[in-house]
Amino acid sequence: MASSPRSPIRVGLLSAAGRLCRAAVDFVYPPVCPLCGGEADGAEAGGGGICATCAGALVRDDAARCARCAAPVGPHLDTVNGCIHCGRDRFAFESVIRLGVYDGLLRTACMRAKHTGGRGLAAGLAELLGEREGAALRAADAACVVPVPHHWTDRLRGRPNAAETVALVLARRLRVEFAGSILCKTRRTPAQASLTPAQRRTNLRRAFRARGRIPAGITVLLVDDILTTGTTAHEAARHLRSAGAERVLVAVLARGLGRD
């Protein structure tokens, strides 16, 4: 026998019961900020359990940003064609959406999110990104979210992929498909952070491959944790475009400026 649809009253009661259960659990086991370890009040948390104090310290950059690569720039500059950081680069992606600049507490958080036990922190940062840049993420009108992949041997070593965690959170928030297997990394490469800017631009050539075809005409949101020279995102986006994507936009936690 077909089940009857739930009445609005029943659904409301179930929702209220769920909220009461979550409140009871939070009372006994208060949410803890994955960054500072302090209590994170759900009403004040900046996102994903990150407390309001840490959220405020993570996102200190209110300056104008480049319309192309999201680097901070001076006011009143036309950056449609790039800025001093990206003007000479050719990218396969259209633009970058980011939480903040890779500096200070955000730099520390991104570093910790890369290591064992960092998935909770990566998810919290992703929630914060989704809250602070929600309008830009929705305006991208992406049909799916794709993380920049690690080589398969990294998973055997137990190294978490922060980009994958961030992509999962953003896909859920945007209510679009998480396409975690459409892109793969075909060879191991030295970490980009260990190389000079010139070396970074050649390190990832032919390191990615798209599996199958992407429906023509769609926009893909490509996700990574940090973008500095844009080489990783460019190489990944190039393969997504070759596989059929019409547009690729990039979302990252932090925009590095090559200072480290």
Side-chain angles (χ1 to χ4, degrees):
M1 182 175 67
S3 59
S4 59
R6 293 177 177 174
S7 70
I9 295 177
R10 179 182 171 88
V11 171
L13 288 173
L14 290 172
S15 299
R19 288 194 296 271
L20 285 173
C21 288
R22 287 193 295 273
V25 171
D26 289 346
F27 178 77
V28 179
Y29 303 104
V32 175
C33 173
L35 190 52
C36 70
E39 184 174 335
D41 185 348
E44 298 179 359
I50 291 179
C51 69
T53 301
C54 286
L58 282 166
V59 189
R60 301 172 301 162
D61 171 41
D62 295 323
R65 61 186 68 176
C66 175
R68 186 166 178 251
C69 74
V73 296
H76 314 304
L77 290 179
D78 182 1
T79 59
V80 172
N81 296 317
C83 64
I84 60 171
H85 299 283
C86 70
R88 296 181 179 180
D89 295 316
R90 298 179 63 183
F91 294 139
F93 57 84
E94 188 172 299
S95 60
V96 178
I97 302 167
R98 48 87 165 169
L99 177 60
V101 173
Y102 187 61
D103 196 6
L105 186 61
L106 184 56
R107 179 183 185 276
T108 300
C110 288
M111 293 283 287
R112 284 175 51 182
K114 289 177 177 290
H115 298 290
T116 303
R119 285 192 177 91
L121 178 54
L125 293 170
E127 293 285 4
L128 190 57
L129 171 62
E131 289 181 3
R132 298 296 176 93
E133 299 297 326
L137 290 166
R138 290 189 295 273
D141 196 26
C144 64
V145 180
V146 176
V148 171
H150 283 184
H151 193 259
W152 64 271
T153 55
D154 287 337
R155 199 175 293 273
L156 293 180
R157 297 181 181 189
R159 291 182 56 193
N161 183 355
E164 186 176 89
T165 302
V166 175
L168 280 164
V169 170
L170 294 183
R172 176 181 55 78
R173 290 185 67 97
L174 296 172
R175 298 182 180 180
V176 299
E177 180 184 356
F178 169 76
S181 61
I182 193 67
L183 200 64
C184 68
K185 190 171 183 182
T186 56
R187 63 181 179 87
R188 288 191 58 82
T189 58
Q192 288 287 88
S194 67
L195 305 175
T196 66
Q199 291 171 327
R200 292 183 188 192
R201 287 179 168 85
T202 59
N203 181 46
L204 292 170
R205 286 178 183 169
R206 297 180 295 278
F208 297 109
R209 178 172 60 85
R211 295 168 170 155
R213 297 292 299 171
I214 296 174
I218 72 168
T219 297
V220 173
L221 184 66
L222 177 67
V223 175
D224 206 354
D225 54 349
I226 304 161
L227 181 145
T228 303
T229 62
T231 302
T232 302
H234 166 71
E235 288 295 328
R238 188 168 63 83
H239 286 277
L240 292 172
R241 295 281 301 276
S242 296
E246 181 174 340
R247 302 167 63 227
V248 178
L249 282 77
V250 177
V252 295
L253 297 177
R255 173 61 165 98
L257 301 177
R259 295 168 180 162
D260 299 315

